[in-house]
Amino acid sequence: MQCVLLLLLCCAGAVNSKAQPIHYNTTSKRDPSKLNIHLVPHTHDDSGWLKTFEQYYWGTRQDVQMAGVQYVLSTVVQALLDNADRKFSYAEMSFFTRWWHLQTPRVQQQVRQLVASGQLDFVNGGFVQHDEAAAHYGAMIDQTTRGHRFLNSTFGFVPKVAWQIDPFGHSATQAALMSAAAGYEALFFGRADYQDMQQRARERQFELLWRPSASWGAAGQVFTHNYPSGNYGPPSGFNFDWGQPDPPIVDDPASSEFNLQQRVDQFVAQAQAWSNLMRGNDVMFMMGSDFEYANAHAVFANLDK
């Protein structure tokens, strides 16, 4: 099966021996006759884990964990403004509202334009990403409502994707009440029981129509995707976040570190391996993880290639 890469697009033949800048075609268009790779730049920002909310936002106590959400949002916005083909998905409104109210009117207007154009997308849109095991459904509704009210009043935006990538286990309450009944078109999650995921890999059932309510039947179903890695990060070897050990894409043939063809071949191999787990010809790669994109320019510079 042929492979078309969305965002990471084929320009291996565009090598210039004089080391002039290479211009990549970063537009994306799905081709139903080929294997389509959907790159989803995102970050997962816990509102509370190893540090306090304020420590996570400002980037203090880096000795505990390298994380500073203010830098994530600021550099992502600048990276999106640099290239209209770039897109980014963000979930946690607790951090976003904290950042938003500290921005100038000029930056706020730029963000409104990014949202209107579809470059900046909001998934889930709750104040946090709630747990599905210990949380009461009333709290799940309240915190989701708080985030959605901000998005609707600020941008006229209504999230269409339930993005529960980090909770350990997933409930019918989330799939029914907080997905299908809430107007979401799809539900994505990463973590699941390893035995369940082994069976889904054998039967190519990482994508399904979940009918969580017996009384609602098909009327309450939601398209559901279980990320095959069991997590929510990039494919192995392709975490371009600054400070990660994975090598960047070096496309200058004059450099002793030139690795363009090697890295493209490695990426295609990963995509083809993942395609064997899917029934269709679409593979999604989540390009991001915990508190990543604090230097969004470094990540997007590689994704553009």
Side-chain angles (χ1 to χ4, degrees), residues 9-178:
L9 220 64
C10 48
C11 265
V15 172
N16 190 314
S17 61
K18 295 183 180 180
Q20 294 179 356
I22 298 174
H23 298 286
Y24 290 90
N25 178 1
T26 55
T27 59
S28 59
K29 182 179 181 181
R30 186 178 182 277
D31 187 336
S33 67
K34 299 177 181 178
L35 176 61
N36 292 263
I37 311 304
H38 304 264
L39 305 183
V40 181
H42 80 105
T43 181
H44 175 65
D45 299 339
D46 296 282
S47 296
W49 181 30
L50 302 178
K51 303 199 292 188
T52 68
F53 176 84
E54 288 293 301
Q55 289 169 348
Y56 271 131
Y57 178 78
W58 292 107
T60 58
R61 292 306 308 273
Q62 298 291 58
D63 58 311
V64 176
Q65 185 181 10
M66 292 291 291
V69 178
Q70 62 163 326
Y71 307 116
V72 173
L73 292 170
S74 293
T75 62
V76 162
V77 166
Q78 287 303 313
L80 296 180
L81 292 172
D82 288 344
N83 186 338
D85 294 330
R86 294 171 175 171
K87 296 183 179 181
F88 193 82
S89 297
Y90 197 75
E92 293 84 11
M93 291 304 102
S94 55
F95 283 121
F96 190 87
T97 55
R98 184 77 170 92
W99 176 84
W100 173 262
H101 294 304
L102 294 175
Q103 303 310 301
T104 65
R106 177 175 176 271
V107 171
Q108 290 182 345
Q109 182 57 32
Q110 289 174 329
V111 173
R112 287 190 174 94
Q113 293 171 351
L114 292 173
V115 175
S117 69
Q119 281 187 263
L120 179 58
D121 188 34
F122 296 104
V123 288
N124 236 26
F127 207 64
V128 297
Q129 190 171 117
H130 57 241
D131 179 60
E132 297 184 36
H136 189 271
Y137 74 88
M140 296 164 68
I141 293 173
D142 288 346
Q143 75 87 20
T144 302
T145 299
R146 182 176 181 180
H148 283 209
R149 280 179 174 169
F150 166 79
L151 288 173
N152 195 23
S153 63
T154 307
F155 305 110
F157 186 92
V158 178
K160 293 297 183 183
V161 171
W163 191 255
Q164 289 291 102
I165 58 175
D166 198 26
F168 289 75
H170 306 280
S171 67
T173 300
Q174 172 66 39
L177 184 63
M178 299 303 300

